[in-house]
Amino acid sequence: MREYGWTAWTAAWLAIVVVSLLAAVALAQLSAEAFEAALDDALAQHLRSEAGILAESLRAEPLEAVVALGGARSAEALDVRVRSFGAAGALHDVAVFAPRLPAPLGRAAETWIAGRTDEALIAAARAEPAQAGPLYRGADGQLYRAAYVAIP
């Protein structure tokens, strides 16, 4: 009488199936990480580009005059332009920082937390091309990233 149990072939096939499943899971994990890294890089590049476009569009604006004269009307007009740029680019927030501005211009500039925490990025953006910060999760649970560029 023959006993039914694990034969060498059954064990070998089972091992092949288990190893194949583990390899598929590992490959899926690597693919997900590569996709996330590519998406992260694309988002950073997009934000750097948007920051560069805004800086270039503000090149002709008399920022120094607005700062020096402190005219509320000029500052409001510039603020409206910055906000409309953010809306057109579907950006969550846009702000213009200047050393002598009493406050940043743009939507939610009064509560711009990233601007206060990204001082190293802002300093780097003054000397180099646009800089994008790391992803961070806001109080609302959404992921955000900030980009900075010097206005020429």
Side-chain angles (χ1 to χ4, degrees), residues 46-78:
H46 173 75
L47 285 175
R48 285 191 295 266
S49 297
E50 290 279 355
I53 291 169
L54 175 62
E56 196 60 39
S57 74
L58 293 177
R59 177 192 288 257
E61 294 293 330
L63 294 176
E64 292 298 321
V66 170
V67 171
L69 298 176
R73 189 171 187 182
S74 298
E76 280 180 29
L78 185 58

mmCIF file of all heavy atoms in Angstrom, residues 46-78:
data_model
loop_
_atom_site.group_PDB
_atom_site.id
_atom_site.type_symbol
_atom_site.label_atom_id
_atom_site.label_comp_id
_atom_site.label_asym_id
_atom_site.label_seq_id
_atom_site.Cartn_x
_atom_site.Cartn_y
_atom_site.Cartn_z
ATOM 1 N N HIS A 46 8.373 70.378 -12.337
ATOM 2 C CA HIS A 46 7.226 71.217 -12.694
ATOM 3 C C HIS A 46 7.177 72.465 -11.802
ATOM 4 O O HIS A 46 6.979 73.578 -12.293
ATOM 5 C CB HIS A 46 5.934 70.414 -12.568
ATOM 6 C CG HIS A 46 4.701 71.234 -12.758
ATOM 7 N ND1 HIS A 46 4.285 71.669 -13.995
ATOM 8 C CD2 HIS A 46 3.811 71.728 -11.869
ATOM 9 C CE1 HIS A 46 3.184 72.389 -13.852
ATOM 10 N NE2 HIS A 46 2.873 72.434 -12.574
ATOM 11 N N LEU A 47 7.360 72.275 -10.504
ATOM 12 C CA LEU A 47 7.316 73.416 -9.595
ATOM 13 C C LEU A 47 8.474 74.376 -9.839
ATOM 14 O O LEU A 47 8.295 75.594 -9.773
ATOM 15 C CB LEU A 47 7.315 72.938 -8.148
ATOM 16 C CG LEU A 47 5.990 72.355 -7.672
ATOM 17 C CD1 LEU A 47 6.130 71.800 -6.267
ATOM 18 C CD2 LEU A 47 4.900 73.391 -7.718
ATOM 19 N N ARG A 48 9.664 73.836 -10.127
ATOM 20 C CA ARG A 48 10.791 74.714 -10.450
ATOM 21 C C ARG A 48 10.490 75.518 -11.706
ATOM 22 O O ARG A 48 10.799 76.710 -11.785
ATOM 23 C CB ARG A 48 12.075 73.905 -10.614
ATOM 24 C CG ARG A 48 12.666 73.438 -9.297
ATOM 25 C CD ARG A 48 14.064 72.884 -9.466
ATOM 26 N NE ARG A 48 14.089 71.685 -10.277
ATOM 27 C CZ ARG A 48 14.047 70.448 -9.798
ATOM 28 N NH1 ARG A 48 13.984 70.249 -8.504
ATOM 29 N NH2 ARG A 48 14.083 69.419 -10.610
ATOM 30 N N SER A 49 9.870 74.873 -12.689
ATOM 31 C CA SER A 49 9.506 75.574 -13.929
ATOM 32 C C SER A 49 8.469 76.656 -13.663
ATOM 33 O O SER A 49 8.582 77.777 -14.174
ATOM 34 C CB SER A 49 8.962 74.585 -14.961
ATOM 35 O OG SER A 49 9.945 73.661 -15.323
ATOM 36 N N GLU A 50 7.451 76.336 -12.873
ATOM 37 C CA GLU A 50 6.417 77.327 -12.540
ATOM 38 C C GLU A 50 7.027 78.518 -11.810
ATOM 39 O O GLU A 50 6.689 79.672 -12.092
ATOM 40 C CB GLU A 50 5.320 76.696 -11.671
ATOM 41 C CG GLU A 50 4.442 75.700 -12.387
ATOM 42 C CD GLU A 50 3.349 76.347 -13.206
ATOM 43 O OE1 GLU A 50 3.182 77.580 -13.175
ATOM 44 O OE2 GLU A 50 2.632 75.602 -13.884
ATOM 45 N N ALA A 51 7.940 78.239 -10.878
ATOM 46 C CA ALA A 51 8.590 79.325 -10.144
ATOM 47 C C ALA A 51 9.412 80.189 -11.102
ATOM 48 O O ALA A 51 9.406 81.422 -11.008
ATOM 49 C CB ALA A 51 9.474 78.759 -9.038
ATOM 50 N N GLY A 52 10.095 79.550 -12.039
ATOM 51 C CA GLY A 52 10.878 80.296 -13.023
ATOM 52 C C GLY A 52 10.019 81.156 -13.926
ATOM 53 O O GLY A 52 10.369 82.295 -14.246
ATOM 54 N N ILE A 53 8.872 80.625 -14.338
ATOM 55 C CA ILE A 53 7.950 81.391 -15.191
ATOM 56 C C ILE A 53 7.420 82.597 -14.428
ATOM 57 O O ILE A 53 7.350 83.710 -14.970
ATOM 58 C CB ILE A 53 6.807 80.493 -15.687
ATOM 59 C CG1 ILE A 53 7.353 79.453 -16.679
ATOM 60 C CG2 ILE A 53 5.699 81.315 -16.337
ATOM 61 C CD1 ILE A 53 6.363 78.352 -17.017
ATOM 62 N N LEU A 54 7.040 82.410 -13.164
ATOM 63 C CA LEU A 54 6.554 83.536 -12.366
ATOM 64 C C LEU A 54 7.652 84.585 -12.206
ATOM 65 O O LEU A 54 7.397 85.782 -12.382
ATOM 66 C CB LEU A 54 6.083 83.069 -10.990
ATOM 67 C CG LEU A 54 5.668 84.190 -10.025
ATOM 68 C CD1 LEU A 54 4.493 84.978 -10.586
ATOM 69 C CD2 LEU A 54 5.345 83.635 -8.665
ATOM 70 N N ALA A 55 8.860 84.141 -11.898
ATOM 71 C CA ALA A 55 9.965 85.094 -11.726
ATOM 72 C C ALA A 55 10.212 85.875 -13.010
ATOM 73 O O ALA A 55 10.410 87.087 -12.982
ATOM 74 C CB ALA A 55 11.228 84.353 -11.296
ATOM 75 N N GLU A 56 10.175 85.185 -14.128
ATOM 76 C CA GLU A 56 10.408 85.863 -15.410
ATOM 77 C C GLU A 56 9.278 86.841 -15.729
ATOM 78 O O GLU A 56 9.518 87.924 -16.259
ATOM 79 C CB GLU A 56 10.546 84.822 -16.523
ATOM 80 C CG GLU A 56 11.147 85.341 -17.789
ATOM 81 C CD GLU A 56 12.551 85.905 -17.618
ATOM 82 O OE1 GLU A 56 13.354 85.349 -16.858
ATOM 83 O OE2 GLU A 56 12.830 86.942 -18.251
ATOM 84 N N SER A 57 8.047 86.470 -15.380
ATOM 85 C CA SER A 57 6.924 87.374 -15.661
ATOM 86 C C SER A 57 6.957 88.606 -14.759
ATOM 87 O O SER A 57 6.397 89.644 -15.109
ATOM 88 C CB SER A 57 5.587 86.647 -15.514
ATOM 89 O OG SER A 57 5.286 86.425 -14.163
ATOM 90 N N LEU A 58 7.599 88.495 -13.608
ATOM 91 C CA LEU A 58 7.689 89.634 -12.695
ATOM 92 C C LEU A 58 8.957 90.460 -12.912
ATOM 93 O O LEU A 58 9.161 91.464 -12.231
ATOM 94 C CB LEU A 58 7.645 89.158 -11.236
ATOM 95 C CG LEU A 58 6.321 88.552 -10.786
ATOM 96 C CD1 LEU A 58 6.430 88.054 -9.362
ATOM 97 C CD2 LEU A 58 5.188 89.551 -10.919
ATOM 98 N N ARG A 59 9.785 90.049 -13.850
ATOM 99 C CA ARG A 59 11.045 90.754 -14.104
ATOM 100 C C ARG A 59 10.802 92.231 -14.416
ATOM 101 O O ARG A 59 11.517 93.102 -13.939
ATOM 102 C CB ARG A 59 11.782 90.107 -15.265
ATOM 103 C CG ARG A 59 13.064 90.809 -15.646
ATOM 104 C CD ARG A 59 13.592 90.307 -16.986
ATOM 105 N NE ARG A 59 14.134 88.989 -16.926
ATOM 106 C CZ ARG A 59 15.441 88.713 -16.910
ATOM 107 N NH1 ARG A 59 16.312 89.697 -16.943
ATOM 108 N NH2 ARG A 59 15.863 87.488 -16.873
ATOM 109 N N ALA A 60 9.775 92.527 -15.201
ATOM 110 C CA ALA A 60 9.508 93.910 -15.606
ATOM 111 C C ALA A 60 8.759 94.719 -14.549
ATOM 112 O O ALA A 60 8.627 95.930 -14.677
ATOM 113 C CB ALA A 60 8.712 93.922 -16.906
ATOM 114 N N GLU A 61 8.275 94.046 -13.516
ATOM 115 C CA GLU A 61 7.529 94.757 -12.470
ATOM 116 C C GLU A 61 8.483 95.608 -11.631
ATOM 117 O O GLU A 61 9.592 95.179 -11.328
ATOM 118 C CB GLU A 61 6.806 93.767 -11.559
ATOM 119 C CG GLU A 61 5.709 93.001 -12.242
ATOM 120 C CD GLU A 61 4.546 93.859 -12.663
ATOM 121 O OE1 GLU A 61 4.269 94.876 -12.000
ATOM 122 O OE2 GLU A 61 3.912 93.508 -13.657
ATOM 123 N N PRO A 62 8.045 96.757 -11.222
ATOM 124 C CA PRO A 62 8.894 97.622 -10.395
ATOM 125 C C PRO A 62 8.865 97.194 -8.925
ATOM 126 O O PRO A 62 8.368 97.924 -8.064
ATOM 127 C CB PRO A 62 8.277 99.001 -10.607
ATOM 128 C CG PRO A 62 6.834 98.700 -10.848
ATOM 129 C CD PRO A 62 6.797 97.391 -11.606
ATOM 130 N N LEU A 63 9.396 95.997 -8.649
ATOM 131 C CA LEU A 63 9.352 95.482 -7.280
ATOM 132 C C LEU A 63 10.080 96.403 -6.307
ATOM 133 O O LEU A 63 9.596 96.644 -5.194
ATOM 134 C CB LEU A 63 9.964 94.081 -7.217
ATOM 135 C CG LEU A 63 9.207 92.989 -7.975
ATOM 136 C CD1 LEU A 63 9.972 91.688 -7.906
ATOM 137 C CD2 LEU A 63 7.812 92.823 -7.425
ATOM 138 N N GLU A 64 11.216 96.896 -6.725
ATOM 139 C CA GLU A 64 11.970 97.787 -5.838
ATOM 140 C C GLU A 64 11.165 99.052 -5.527
ATOM 141 O O GLU A 64 11.182 99.543 -4.407
ATOM 142 C CB GLU A 64 13.316 98.144 -6.459
ATOM 143 C CG GLU A 64 14.276 96.967 -6.545
ATOM 144 C CD GLU A 64 14.629 96.399 -5.186
ATOM 145 O OE1 GLU A 64 14.809 97.186 -4.236
ATOM 146 O OE2 GLU A 64 14.729 95.166 -5.077
ATOM 147 N N ALA A 65 10.453 99.568 -6.538
ATOM 148 C CA ALA A 65 9.645 100.770 -6.313
ATOM 149 C C ALA A 65 8.486 100.466 -5.371
ATOM 150 O O ALA A 65 8.157 101.272 -4.497
ATOM 151 C CB ALA A 65 9.124 101.314 -7.640
ATOM 152 N N VAL A 66 7.866 99.317 -5.557
ATOM 153 C CA VAL A 66 6.761 98.940 -4.666
ATOM 154 C C VAL A 66 7.266 98.840 -3.237
ATOM 155 O O VAL A 66 6.627 99.319 -2.297
ATOM 156 C CB VAL A 66 6.128 97.601 -5.125
ATOM 157 C CG1 VAL A 66 5.151 97.083 -4.084
ATOM 158 C CG2 VAL A 66 5.445 97.765 -6.467
ATOM 159 N N VAL A 67 8.446 98.256 -3.067
ATOM 160 C CA VAL A 67 9.013 98.112 -1.742
ATOM 161 C C VAL A 67 9.428 99.465 -1.180
ATOM 162 O O VAL A 67 9.136 99.814 -0.036
ATOM 163 C CB VAL A 67 10.218 97.136 -1.768
ATOM 164 C CG1 VAL A 67 10.944 97.142 -0.438
ATOM 165 C CG2 VAL A 67 9.744 95.744 -2.114
ATOM 166 N N ALA A 68 10.117 100.264 -2.014
ATOM 167 C CA ALA A 68 10.637 101.554 -1.542
ATOM 168 C C ALA A 68 9.518 102.540 -1.224
ATOM 169 O O ALA A 68 9.558 103.227 -0.212
ATOM 170 C CB ALA A 68 11.580 102.149 -2.584
ATOM 171 N N LEU A 69 8.525 102.616 -2.093
ATOM 172 C CA LEU A 69 7.450 103.589 -1.895
ATOM 173 C C LEU A 69 6.393 103.097 -0.922
ATOM 174 O O LEU A 69 5.699 103.888 -0.296
ATOM 175 C CB LEU A 69 6.804 103.945 -3.229
ATOM 176 C CG LEU A 69 7.741 104.614 -4.257
ATOM 177 C CD1 LEU A 69 7.019 104.816 -5.562
ATOM 178 C CD2 LEU A 69 8.269 105.924 -3.705
ATOM 179 N N GLY A 70 6.257 101.771 -0.866
ATOM 180 C CA GLY A 70 5.299 101.209 0.066
ATOM 181 C C GLY A 70 3.861 101.527 -0.274
ATOM 182 O O GLY A 70 3.004 101.521 0.596
ATOM 183 N N GLY A 71 3.575 101.808 -1.533
ATOM 184 C CA GLY A 71 2.218 102.132 -1.921
ATOM 185 C C GLY A 71 1.299 100.931 -1.834
ATOM 186 O O GLY A 71 1.575 99.878 -2.399
ATOM 187 N N ALA A 72 0.216 101.082 -1.106
ATOM 188 C CA ALA A 72 -0.721 99.974 -0.935
ATOM 189 C C ALA A 72 -1.355 99.582 -2.264
ATOM 190 O O ALA A 72 -1.582 98.407 -2.529
ATOM 191 C CB ALA A 72 -1.806 100.354 0.072
ATOM 192 N N ARG A 73 -1.624 100.586 -3.116
ATOM 193 C CA ARG A 73 -2.270 100.311 -4.398
ATOM 194 C C ARG A 73 -1.349 99.480 -5.291
ATOM 195 O O ARG A 73 -1.784 98.522 -5.924
ATOM 196 C CB ARG A 73 -2.638 101.618 -5.071
ATOM 197 C CG ARG A 73 -3.488 101.448 -6.274
ATOM 198 C CD ARG A 73 -3.990 102.781 -6.741
ATOM 199 N NE ARG A 73 -4.940 102.588 -7.803
ATOM 200 C CZ ARG A 73 -5.513 103.558 -8.434
ATOM 201 N NH1 ARG A 73 -5.263 104.799 -8.103
ATOM 202 N NH2 ARG A 73 -6.362 103.304 -9.387
ATOM 203 N N SER A 74 -0.065 99.833 -5.363
ATOM 204 C CA SER A 74 0.884 99.073 -6.168
ATOM 205 C C SER A 74 1.070 97.666 -5.622
ATOM 206 O O SER A 74 1.126 96.693 -6.374
ATOM 207 C CB SER A 74 2.238 99.778 -6.211
ATOM 208 O OG SER A 74 2.115 101.039 -6.810
ATOM 209 N N ALA A 75 1.171 97.559 -4.314
ATOM 210 C CA ALA A 75 1.328 96.246 -3.692
ATOM 211 C C ALA A 75 0.101 95.381 -3.943
ATOM 212 O O ALA A 75 0.219 94.186 -4.202
ATOM 213 C CB ALA A 75 1.580 96.396 -2.201
ATOM 214 N N GLU A 76 -1.082 95.977 -3.898
ATOM 215 C CA GLU A 76 -2.312 95.227 -4.173
ATOM 216 C C GLU A 76 -2.343 94.743 -5.613
ATOM 217 O O GLU A 76 -2.729 93.607 -5.879
ATOM 218 C CB GLU A 76 -3.544 96.094 -3.897
ATOM 219 C CG GLU A 76 -3.912 96.194 -2.447
ATOM 220 C CD GLU A 76 -5.151 97.068 -2.251
ATOM 221 O OE1 GLU A 76 -6.010 97.138 -3.154
ATOM 222 O OE2 GLU A 76 -5.250 97.684 -1.180
ATOM 223 N N ALA A 77 -1.947 95.604 -6.550
ATOM 224 C CA ALA A 77 -1.941 95.214 -7.953
ATOM 225 C C ALA A 77 -0.968 94.057 -8.182
ATOM 226 O O ALA A 77 -1.278 93.098 -8.907
ATOM 227 C CB ALA A 77 -1.568 96.404 -8.841
ATOM 228 N N LEU A 78 0.189 94.130 -7.568
ATOM 229 C CA LEU A 78 1.167 93.052 -7.693
ATOM 230 C C LEU A 78 0.642 91.786 -7.030
ATOM 231 O O LEU A 78 0.795 90.686 -7.561
ATOM 232 C CB LEU A 78 2.493 93.479 -7.069
ATOM 233 C CG LEU A 78 3.641 92.512 -7.218
ATOM 234 C CD1 LEU A 78 3.925 92.230 -8.691
ATOM 235 C CD2 LEU A 78 4.875 93.052 -6.536
#
